Amino acid sequence: MVTLIFDGLAYGMLLFVLSCGLAVTLGLMNFINLAHGAFAMAGGYATVILTNQMGMPFLWTLPLAFIVAAVAGFVLERTLYVRMYARSDLDQVLFTIGLVFMAVSGMDWLMGSQQQILHLPSFLLGRVEVLGVNIGIYRAFLIAVCGVLAIVLQLLITRTRFGSRLRAAVDDQRVAHGVGIPVKTVFAVTFAVGSGLAGLGGALGAEILGLTPNFPLEFLIYFLIVVSVGGTSSMLGPLYASILLGLADVLGKYYIPTLGSFMIYAVLVIVLVVRPQGLFARAA
Amino acid sequence: MTARPDPAASAATDTAAAETGRRVVRTMRRALRWSLPEILFWLVAFASIFLLPGQHLILTEIAILAVFALSIDLILGYAGIVSLGHAAMYGAGAYAAGLYAIHVTGEPLTGLVVGAAAGAVIAFATSFLLLRGGDLTRLMVTLGVAAVLFEIANKAYRITGGADGLQGIWMDPILGRFDFDLAGHTGYVYCLIVLFLLFLLARLVVNSPFGISLKAIRENPLRASAVGIPVNPRLVAIYTLAGAYAGVAGALFTHTQQFISLDALAFQKSADGLLVLIIGGTGYLYGGMIGALAYKVIQDVIANITPQYWLFWIGLLMVVFVLWGRDKPQRIFATLAARLRHRREGRE
Amino acid sequence: MTVVLETRNLCRNFNALKATQDVSFQLHEGARHALIGPNGAGKTTFINLLTGVLAPTSGEVLLMGQPITRLSRHGRVRRGLARTFQINQLFPELSVVESLGLVISERRGNGADWWRYAGRLPGLGEEVAQIACDFGLDEVLDQRVADLPYGKQRLLEIALAIALKPRVLLLDEPAAGVPEADRHEVLARLAVLPGDVSILLIEHDMSLVFTFASRISVLVEGALYAEGTAEEIAADERVKAVYLGEGDDE
């Protein structure tokens, strides 16, 4: 049981890193980026190629996965996304689904449709017994890395100059612009960092989530649940939502194998009925 | 109702009011009149039965896709509900019609009703999750509902055939007389007639007080409720109706293909429907039909050039189309219709 | 005189902020009553509580003596409570005819009719025409609302509420943003509104308040501060102080 909770926690932390970028872009630019998973996939494939084919140490590939996805995000934001901010939700949805389709089939063309097997270094494999609890080393690694990331992000947003600019821009774009905050740059940097985090999440999750070209579509619903349950007003909401979702998914699949994959939807329905504005959203 | 002290002025305003009244009635009835492009559209559609006998299989697909897109137009174009999971209702209709044909009877017309009912039930049951929250919640809920149904159909393979698809569907002749043939002639006429009837109903509904209240909700839900429109019941009603339409589309697919795979519930199906409608334009009912035709033609052209990676091209099409401005084809059509109307009214 | 609209100890808090504090208010039949107050006094919150856009933290709202505190927005409209908005809330893509027609068919209980064309509802066209003429909208009947000049939009804003034939009408700054040239037209329409409609005017503009209203309530920091006839309020030193203290805004 404790092992399961530990696994669920690891899974949830991973989901947080994957989707926190989406929460920020949604909160900041009010932009529905359904292609968020494509950046995660890019990071995942970057790591797989670098480790498996080029023999680079796994840990070294993680920052590269971040950079690949962040650069892709930055370029796309400046060239394409920037044209879509003022458009209707429907336009944004169509546009980003189009990007997803291109990414999915482009990756299929590049790498083939089979699932990619990531060769983790041996020191991250295996399990250890800690205080009578059987713990997977890689799961522990995930919790540590993602936990640190979550703390760094929260500090970045609450304590730094960039963070306060970001929060100002989220609250009111026009006012932020008026007091001299370079809103466009804030947008671009935030988008790039959000995409980069997704890429890092994709790299970290390549082993346990299963990496195929279909990744952006398969996990789209998870991302959407995280941001709509967690809200976009702080980093903590999505964090709690991710952990809740991770636990529900892992425990559900273990205890009720036939219905396990429906567990997340059950959570979703309950949240929608009880608190339609999101479980952790700031009460307006 | 207004206080008017001067009787002479009052009489003058009364005649003016009567004249205005006639003008209002004329304006209101304009929506009822069949414009020339509309008449031509349906003449061409029905002429294709005789003029393009070799294309009936693909035309059948187009007609079914058009019903599906028409269903999306009812919720998106009129009520403003963005959905990423309309395949849920389509697939429910398809499977319901298939199971009905296998276990009850192969009679197609009652099968259509069963398909419609299945779509409507799914839509009605899930509509309540759509009422609260904004577009993002709706995207998530619709996506989630379709994903759940997909998983159910996948897991319940004893009933649905799972990933192998539902097989062994045999259809009786329509009205006991018209057998489904391999060249798809009967199937096409059948689908086209159903499409036309559903279109007629939709045309009535969207121009009814109910339909106009939907547009009001789409335009401004706050004001809609402030003029006494019960917003939520209206949204539930149109979502259920659209569900029935999608269910019929699914049933038509089952009847003409006599095989159902999980594709009927896949995300791809929902996205296809949305794209088809967007290509043709939302909110004037013809978008789904024009879009279905254009979509299939584009698919055909691309398949001839490069048979693989269709998804990539469809994605590119969506991106370019949205960047270019998706309302352009519709505007061209509207300008054309307006010009024709002007000319006709000029003659009168 | 009959009380048509009443609130009893109405309160609404936004976290720590008390936007409406213990307001007990009465609107009499046929009244021309104005609700004034400095910026941020909670006038709009009060309207939102009356119409059901917001739920009160405590207290009651009564329409014709019936409690409507828990009634839906459209339910209140059906019982005869209509409002206009400070910032236009129209249906931009609909035409003037469609906008008025939909309101009237809704009032008549035909709003859910899906089986007949709106254009076939008997007498609808005539009633649309009547209101359009009353509000000077007869020249722009088939125009898209989004294409109308602002003055006409403002008139439509009021016409939509009048088309509901309300017993009680809440006017939220009806002349707000209307250019000087079109202002008299809006004011003229307000002056000839049917006498049996009880009107609560929420207004910032004192000249409009004193020409229109015979009775005035003053709202300050969410609470009723003073109430009386127009003359009494005009002479009230405390009210003057509130307005002078605020400085002359707008």
Side-chain angles (χ1 to χ4, degrees):
Chain A
M1 176 70 193
V2 181
T3 310
L4 280 177
I5 289 180
F6 193 77
D7 283 2
L9 194 63
Y11 188 34
M13 298 290 260
L14 188 59
L15 280 178
F16 169 71
V17 173
L18 276 168
S19 43
C20 62
L22 184 61
V24 178
T25 45
L26 191 73
L28 179 61
M29 303 159 206
N30 203 8
F31 187 88
I32 301 180
N33 183 18
L34 300 181
H36 187 72
F39 297 102
M41 177 174 72
Y45 273 94
T47 285
V48 166
I49 292 170
L50 288 169
T51 353
N52 292 4
Q53 295 182 8
M54 302 188 179
M56 199 183 266
F58 171 70
L59 293 182
W60 280 104
T61 66
L62 293 179
L64 287 173
F66 176 90
I67 290 168
V68 166
V71 168
F74 185 80
V75 171
L76 281 175
E77 200 274 344
R78 283 291 88 193
T79 52
L80 294 178
Y81 278 86
V82 70
R83 297 160 199 265
M84 303 304 299
Y85 289 149
R87 298 287 195 87
S88 68
D89 287 358
L90 178 63
D91 275 347
Q92 299 178 350
V93 164
L94 291 166
F95 173 77
T96 53
I97 291 181
L99 287 183
V100 170
F101 283 174
M102 289 169 77
V104 164
S105 119
M107 198 51 89
D108 189 3
W109 178 70
L110 275 173
M111 301 291 294
S113 61
Q114 75 283 8
Q115 183 171 339
Q116 299 294 325
I117 311 294
L118 176 65
H119 304 302
L120 287 173
S122 50
F123 64 88
L124 285 175
L125 296 174
R127 312 183 76 85
V128 287
E129 198 87 12
V130 179
L131 301 172
V133 181
N134 189 349
I135 285 174
I137 295 177
Y138 189 64
R139 300 293 198 281
F141 171 75
L142 279 181
I143 292 182
V145 173
C146 298
V148 168
L149 272 174
I151 293 168
V152 168
L153 274 178
Q154 181 65 19
L155 289 179
L156 207 70
I157 287 174
T158 52
R159 297 289 164 81
T160 64
R161 198 169 128 82
F162 184 81
S164 56
R165 287 179 160 190
L166 179 64
R167 277 178 293 134
V170 171
D171 278 349
D172 194 324
Q173 249 184 65
R174 269 184 323 185
V175 172
H177 191 73
V179 299
I181 294 174
V183 174
K184 272 188 184 173
T185 318
V186 172
F187 273 19
V189 171
T190 312
F191 194 92
V193 173
S195 307
L197 285 169
L200 180 58
L204 289 167
E207 204 258 346
I208 62 172
L209 298 180
L211 192 60
T212 68
N214 241 348
F215 185 90
L217 284 176
E218 257 171 70
F219 285 88
L220 179 58
I221 187 80
Y222 286 81
F223 303 148
L224 288 177
I225 294 176
V226 167
V227 293
S228 56
V229 171
T232 57
S233 50
S234 83
M235 276 295 108
L236 293 175
L239 178 62
Y240 298 145
S242 305
I243 293 173
L244 179 70
L245 197 57
L247 287 173
D249 207 22
V250 169
L251 294 177
K253 278 180 179 152
Y254 183 81
Y255 285 110
I256 338 168
T258 42
L259 294 177
S261 43
F262 299 114
M263 202 63 186
I264 54 165
Y265 302 110
V267 171
L268 175 63
V269 168
I270 292 166
V271 169
L272 278 174
V273 171
V274 179
R275 282 202 63 170
Q277 70 275 40
L279 207 50
F280 307 104
R282 196 167 40 188
Chain B
M1 54 190 286
T2 311
R4 285 195 214 92
D6 182 0
S10 165
T13 12
D14 279 351
T15 14
E19 164 54 26
T20 316
R22 280 192 291 279
R23 245 177 56 219
V24 169
V25 172
R26 244 191 341 261
T27 313
M28 290 174 87
R29 300 220 164 146
R30 191 183 294 150
L32 284 59
R33 258 206 327 231
W34 290 77
S35 69
L36 193 57
E38 272 188 287
I39 296 165
L40 283 177
F41 180 93
W42 288 107
L43 281 179
V44 170
F46 279 101
S48 67
I49 296 172
F50 309 102
L51 299 179
L52 297 167
Q55 305 292 322
H56 280 179
L57 288 174
I58 189 161
L59 284 171
T60 304
E61 288 177 38
I62 292 175
I64 295 173
L65 201 51
V67 174
F68 184 49
L70 179 62
S71 160
I72 301 179
D73 200 12
L74 286 178
I75 59 162
L76 178 62
Y78 288 91
I81 302 172
V82 189
S83 165
L84 277 184
H86 216 59
M89 278 79 89
Y90 177 88
Y95 276 102
L99 294 171
Y100 177 78
I102 292 173
H103 300 294
V104 185
T105 163
E107 201 285 310
L109 294 186
T110 51
L112 272 189
V113 175
V114 168
V121 166
I122 296 287
F124 181 77
T126 57
S127 62
F128 299 94
L129 296 170
L130 294 173
L131 298 178
R132 304 195 268 182
D135 280 351
L136 184 75
T137 314
R138 288 173 173 175
L139 290 174
M140 182 185 61
V141 168
T142 50
L143 190 65
V145 167
V148 167
L149 286 192
F150 183 93
E151 272 308 306
I152 291 175
N154 189 18
K155 290 246 163 85
Y157 51 85
R158 273 183 213 164
I159 304 167
T160 62
D164 297 332
L166 186 61
Q167 302 179 15
I169 299 165
W170 297 103
M171 299 313 298
D172 294 343
I174 300 164
L175 299 172
R177 284 187 58 192
F178 307 100
D179 227 329
F180 285 96
D181 55 312
L182 279 178
H185 302 309
T186 312
Y188 178 53
V189 176
Y190 171 55
C191 290
L192 190 61
I193 289 173
V194 172
L195 171 65
F196 183 61
L197 293 177
L198 289 182
F199 166 79
L200 288 181
L201 177 64
R203 193 175 186 272
L204 173 65
V205 168
V206 301
N207 288 303
S208 71
F210 170 73
I212 298 175
S213 77
L214 292 176
K215 290 201 251 178
I217 293 169
R218 175 195 73 196
E219 292 291 305
N220 190 339
L222 175 69
R223 187 59 190 256
S225 67
V227 295
I229 298 172
V231 172
N232 287 350
R234 297 279 159 88
L235 290 180
V236 169
I238 193 63
Y239 198 68
T240 306
L241 179 67
Y245 269 51
V248 169
L252 287 176
F253 178 85
T254 301
H255 291 167
T256 53
Q257 306 297 313
Q258 313 201 345
F259 169 77
I260 314 162
S261 73
L262 284 174
D263 289 346
L265 284 164
F267 176 71
Q268 181 71 47
K269 188 81 216 168
S270 304
D272 278 353
L274 201 52
L275 178 62
V276 163
L277 174 64
I278 297 305
I279 291 176
T282 59
Y284 72 117
L285 296 182
Y286 285 91
M289 294 173 253
I290 294 168
L293 184 64
Y295 179 87
K296 281 288 174 190
V297 169
I298 295 167
Q299 195 179 38
D300 209 43
V301 170
I302 292 179
N304 279 334
I305 304 167
T306 150
Q308 262 181 311
Y309 308 113
W310 157 241
L311 198 59
F312 180 85
W313 300 107
I314 217 66
L316 186 65
L317 185 69
M318 287 172 96
V319 168
V320 171
F321 199 67
V322 173
L323 283 173
W324 175 59
R326 64 183 164 81
D327 54 342
K328 281 196 183 148
Q330 188 182 356
R331 241 188 275 158
I332 294 167
F333 189 83
T335 330
L336 203 71
R339 213 172 284 165
L340 281 164
R341 199 171 59 214
H342 267 284
R343 201 172 296 169
R344 199 161 59 178
E345 274 172 9
R347 273 205 313 270
E348 270 173 12
Chain C
M1 255 191 156
T2 332
V3 175
V4 286
L5 180 68
E6 184 178 4
T7 67
R8 289 185 189 153
N9 307 101
L10 201 63
C11 294
R12 168 72 199 202
N13 304 338
F14 294 106
N15 298 323
L17 177 75
K18 289 180 176 154
T20 303
Q21 292 188 53
D22 201 27
V23 173
S24 294
F25 169 86
Q26 291 189 334
L27 184 72
H28 293 273
E29 187 159 24
R32 294 291 180 271
H33 196 137
L35 181 69
I36 62 171
N39 267 339
K43 297 180 299 249
T44 300
T45 304
F46 185 63
I47 284 228
N48 286 339
L49 291 172
L50 292 178
T51 52
V53 175
L54 290 172
T57 312
S58 64
E60 263 195 295
V61 182
L62 295 98
L63 185 67
M64 313 294 165
Q66 302 287 315
I68 56 163
T69 320
R70 258 157 279 290
L71 204 61
S72 64
R73 287 182 233 176
H74 59 86
R76 297 176 197 217
V77 177
R78 288 186 176 175
R79 294 212 189 165
L81 178 65
R83 75 174 288 189
T84 68
F85 291 81
Q86 185 185 345
I87 298 164
N88 280 344
Q89 296 289 342
L90 300 169
F91 310 116
E93 292 293 323
L94 299 193
S95 67
V96 172
V97 165
E98 281 178 309
S99 301
L100 288 170
L102 98 96
V103 172
I104 294 165
S105 54
E106 208 65 50
R107 188 199 74 222
R108 293 182 176 181
N110 296 118
D113 293 5
W114 55 268
W115 57 87
R116 56 174 159 194
Y117 289 111
R120 293 245 158 89
L121 283 176
L124 185 65
E126 288 73 15
E127 197 178 337
V128 168
Q130 183 63 55
I131 293 185
C133 287
D134 283 351
F135 281 83
L137 295 165
D138 46 326
E139 295 304 320
V140 291
L141 282 168
D142 43 10
Q143 280 189 32
R144 242 167 39 118
V145 170
D147 298 336
L148 296 180
Y150 184 81
K152 294 279 181 205
Q153 289 186 354
R154 205 62 194 149
L155 286 166
L156 180 60
E157 173 75 33
I158 300 166
L160 289 184
I162 291 299
L164 288 166
K165 292 198 176 158
R167 303 280 299 274
V168 177
L169 176 61
L170 311 175
L171 293 170
D172 195 352
E173 301 198 23
V178 179
E180 205 52 47
D182 299 336
R183 211 179 139 80
H184 68 278
E185 197 176 358
V186 174
L187 300 187
R189 302 298 156 193
L190 294 182
V192 296
L193 290 180
D196 55 342
V197 180
S198 321
I199 298 178
L200 178 63
L201 171 76
I202 287 80
E203 194 42 85
H204 218 80
D205 177 340
M206 284 304 149
S207 66
L208 177 54
V209 167
F210 285 111
T211 48
F212 182 82
S214 51
R215 197 167 177 81
I216 297 175
S217 295
V218 186
L219 201 64
V220 176
E221 289 176 1
L224 269 186
Y225 186 73
E227 187 175 327
T229 63
E231 294 75 26
E232 285 165 10
I233 295 294
D236 190 322
E237 291 301 323
R238 292 191 311 149
V239 174
K240 269 188 203 159
V242 168
Y243 271 86
L244 289 176
E246 192 205 14
D248 48 345
D249 62 307
E250 286 160 74

